[in-house]
Amino acid sequence: MVSRIVKVAPFDLVVFGGTGDLAYRKLFPALFRRFHDGQFSDGTRIIGAARHDYGREAFRETVAKALRQFALEAIKDADLDAFLELVDYVSLDIGSDAGWNMLAERLPEDANEVRAFYLATGPDRFGAVAAQLAAYGLITPGSRIIVEKPIGRDAASAAKINDALGAVFAENQIYRIDHYLGKETVQNLMALRFANALFEPLWNSGHIESVEITVAETIGVEGRGAYYETSGALRDMVQNHLLQLLCLVAMEPPAAFESDAVRDEKLKVLKALAPIDASNYEACVVRGQYRAGASATGAVPGYPEDVGNPGTHVETFVALKVFVNNWRWAGTPFYLRTGKRLPKRVSELIVSFRNVRHSIFGPEVKILPTRLVVRLQPDEGIKLWLMLKEPGAGGMRMRHVPLDMNFAEAFQIYAPEAYERLLMDVIRGNATLFMRRDEVEAAWAWIDPIREAWNQSPLEPRFYLAGTWGPASATALVERDGRSWYEESN
């Protein structure tokens, strides 16, 4: 199968923080692959901007090194050289006027109509960059600004950042990126629901018994200890990734697959989330912290050793039981969990349907629930677990078996990485997969009372050994409802 490549208009992309880890690991490889596939038009330019005192050629050498290390395929020298011809660099200081005149010279008034500014920086610099772009007259009608999560640390700080961005850019020019929404399987969740008559009539609490969302990592904080000590799993993962996935599962059908229509429905879900606060926190939330244990690579230290803080109370694991208080989902629990140093790296959604009302096969045949499993990473794909009869004579022997669709095998084409799709969506002006201001602030408004309940609670994070599935209380969270977390062996 051949994927049809649609070129985008020529654009200028300025990457602030262009010498950082995100730029080298994700952004430049994503841009190279889109260039390699022929998606760029003549005249496109990519400009790195950072404090390092690089010249153009020195910066190109660092980009070439990153592409050879992080791109997924072998790179031909000719392709690499052609891509690097698009790459330029400006040394500047976000907090002062140093270098901004040079950037302005690289972006004259007659530059490309589409001008994108990617802020691969900490959120504390977002407002300053926006203000400098305005001060130097770099914002055009075709400008867009792209900002990474986290957008703030709570509702108040998120509103402050949004105010700073909104003072310079119109809301339709602001692209708040969550790379999870760029994954092919996440988008296929919407196709699965809204393009197939099989699922949407059953997509409600009358037929769905529970929903589970798991985002598990095998790694620890990996050098991000300073950031993680101010964040924790709730802010780092739940407020954005997991809540966005929950919204896509739970939202009502939008009027059209169009940016504001989709985001309107996601906002309704966020506003319908049942509150979790000091009154119900202990029944709905488990927080944990990994301690020394083992991973696939051998023995690993605990989180306090990783961050050099023996007394830290920051959570590296969170499990929640969440309800969506509306007509579609009343009474159906959504179980969310995420953590570091877990046994497997996996991100998946599990929709468990209610059992048949009456089994005709007698009590000796155990009927397991129909389950839809959408795996986001690794090995993106979709499984539908069904009860089927085993072949052969000798009675009705039933087995729980999957109808299994692996994306790589089914389509036999390269599936773009999330950043590839999202960057091209920015250039096209398609904001469907990006968060709107009211979404971000509604998510924080739901998260903040959980943080406040933690601060008031005498309970510390429950410890769990690295390489296990979190604290025992996370298992109890679902087992007291007569359920269990999904495992591949089910």
Side-chain angles (χ1 to χ4, degrees), residues 119-200:
L119 274 56
T121 68
D124 57 321
R125 314 306 297 274
F126 292 171
V129 173
Q132 289 284 62
L133 291 172
Y136 282 86
L138 296 176
I139 301 172
T140 63
S143 291
R144 297 95 195 255
I145 189 167
I146 312 153
V147 292
E148 281 274 346
K149 65 94 175 172
I151 309 295
R153 300 182 68 253
D154 51 28
S157 58
K160 185 176 180 180
I161 290 171
N162 284 326
D163 285 343
L165 295 172
V168 176
F169 291 90
E171 177 62 27
N172 63 6
Q173 294 178 298
I174 303 172
Y175 290 73
R176 300 171 186 86
I177 197 167
D178 182 341
H179 70 274
Y180 263 66
L181 299 187
K183 294 181 181 295
E184 287 288 342
T185 337
V186 173
Q187 296 163 73
N188 261 296
L189 177 63
M190 289 188 279
L192 199 69
R193 277 191 64 186
F194 303 131
N196 295 283
L198 175 64
F199 289 110
E200 185 55 28

Side-chain angles (χ1 to χ4, degrees), residues 25-304:
R25 283 179 177 269
K26 296 294 185 181
L27 302 183
F28 289 122
L31 290 165
F32 173 78
R33 286 190 285 268
R34 291 299 88 219
F35 168 81
H36 177 267
D37 283 354
Q39 200 152 19
F40 292 178
S41 297
D42 292 341
T44 291
R45 297 188 304 165
I46 301 164
I47 303 172
R51 296 180 66 179
H52 285 81
D53 188 20
Y54 286 140
R56 176 185 297 160
E57 293 306 317
F59 179 65
R60 287 177 174 176
E61 289 177 9
T62 69
V63 173
K65 180 180 178 181
L67 291 176
R68 290 192 176 97
Q69 182 176 357
F70 298 118
L72 297 180
E73 64 286 308
I75 296 176
K76 296 180 180 178
D77 288 342
D79 291 340
L80 180 58
D81 291 342
F83 176 75
L84 293 177
E85 284 297 315
L86 311 182
V87 176
D88 203 346
Y89 182 76
V90 172
S91 177
L92 57 75
D93 181 7
I94 292 172
S96 73
D97 291 328
W100 284 89
N101 277 324
M102 184 178 296
L103 179 61
E105 291 173 1
R106 305 288 172 87
L107 295 172
E109 291 184 5
D110 61 350
N112 288 322
E113 179 180 348
V114 176
R115 180 178 294 183
F117 303 103
Y118 199 115
L119 274 56
T121 68
D124 57 321
R125 314 306 297 274
F126 292 171
V129 173
Q132 289 284 62
L133 291 172
Y136 282 86
L138 296 176
I139 301 172
T140 63
S143 291
R144 297 95 195 255
I145 189 167
I146 312 153
V147 292
E148 281 274 346
K149 65 94 175 172
I151 309 295
R153 300 182 68 253
D154 51 28
S157 58
K160 185 176 180 180
I161 290 171
N162 284 326
D163 285 343
L165 295 172
V168 176
F169 291 90
E171 177 62 27
N172 63 6
Q173 294 178 298
I174 303 172
Y175 290 73
R176 300 171 186 86
I177 197 167
D178 182 341
H179 70 274
Y180 263 66
L181 299 187
K183 294 181 181 295
E184 287 288 342
T185 337
V186 173
Q187 296 163 73
N188 261 296
L189 177 63
M190 289 188 279
L192 199 69
R193 277 191 64 186
F194 303 131
N196 295 283
L198 175 64
F199 289 110
E200 185 55 28
L202 307 180
W203 210 261
N204 55 64
S205 60
H207 299 279
I208 292 177
E209 191 258 351
S210 66
V211 177
E212 179 186 328
I213 302 175
T214 292
V215 178
E217 299 178 285
T218 56
I219 61 173
V221 291
E222 303 295 305
R224 298 171 68 232
Y227 160 74
Y228 214 80
E229 278 288 276
T230 64
S231 171
L234 188 71
R235 287 183 173 127
D236 186 50
M237 296 295 289
V238 177
Q239 186 272 337
N240 39 77
H241 297 333
L242 271 74
L243 286 188
Q244 285 292 309
L245 294 176
L246 186 155
C247 286
L248 292 178
V249 174
M251 72 181 186
E252 295 296 317
F257 187 61
E258 180 269 328
S259 59
D260 278 333
V262 171
R263 296 188 293 182
D264 285 346
E265 298 304 333
K266 289 197 294 176
L267 179 64
K268 291 176 186 177
V269 174
L270 291 169
K271 291 188 173 182
L273 294 178
I276 298 177
D277 53 27
S279 67
N280 61 350
Y281 155 74
E282 293 186 17
C284 298
V285 182
V286 174
R287 58 174 176 155
Q289 184 187 99
Y290 68 83
R291 292 302 169 103
S295 72
T297 58
V300 294
Y303 177 75

Side-chain angles (χ1 to χ4, degrees), residues 212-402:
E212 179 186 328
I213 302 175
T214 292
V215 178
E217 299 178 285
T218 56
I219 61 173
V221 291
E222 303 295 305
R224 298 171 68 232
Y227 160 74
Y228 214 80
E229 278 288 276
T230 64
S231 171
L234 188 71
R235 287 183 173 127
D236 186 50
M237 296 295 289
V238 177
Q239 186 272 337
N240 39 77
H241 297 333
L242 271 74
L243 286 188
Q244 285 292 309
L245 294 176
L246 186 155
C247 286
L248 292 178
V249 174
M251 72 181 186
E252 295 296 317
F257 187 61
E258 180 269 328
S259 59
D260 278 333
V262 171
R263 296 188 293 182
D264 285 346
E265 298 304 333
K266 289 197 294 176
L267 179 64
K268 291 176 186 177
V269 174
L270 291 169
K271 291 188 173 182
L273 294 178
I276 298 177
D277 53 27
S279 67
N280 61 350
Y281 155 74
E282 293 186 17
C284 298
V285 182
V286 174
R287 58 174 176 155
Q289 184 187 99
Y290 68 83
R291 292 302 169 103
S295 72
T297 58
V300 294
Y303 177 75
E305 292 76 36
D306 277 344
V307 299
N309 182 4
T312 180
H313 298 295
V314 171
E315 80 285 353
T316 61
F317 175 96
V318 180
L320 305 100
K321 181 167 71 173
V322 180
F323 289 93
V324 180
N325 287 341
N326 61 20
W327 279 95
R328 182 182 288 265
W329 295 110
T332 294
F334 287 71
Y335 298 104
L336 281 57
R337 67 174 171 174
T338 184
K340 292 187 175 295
R341 289 294 186 208
L342 301 182
K344 292 168 58 178
R345 174 181 173 264
V346 63
S347 298
E348 57 190 7
L349 313 171
I350 299 95
V351 179
S352 294
F353 292 85
R354 298 190 183 279
N355 267 342
V356 294
R357 294 178 184 271
H358 171 70
S359 173
I360 66 173
F361 302 107
E364 65 276 7
V365 178
K366 184 180 180 181
I367 304 296
L368 297 176
T370 301
R371 283 197 174 109
L372 176 67
V373 179
V374 181
R375 176 164 286 192
L376 312 179
Q377 65 179 17
D379 303 324
E380 294 183 339
I382 296 170
K383 289 183 180 180
L384 183 62
W385 288 84
L386 302 171
M387 293 300 299
L388 296 175
K389 177 189 176 297
E390 286 187 10
M396 184 64 73
R397 296 190 302 273
M398 309 281 279
R399 287 184 60 187
H400 204 214
V401 295

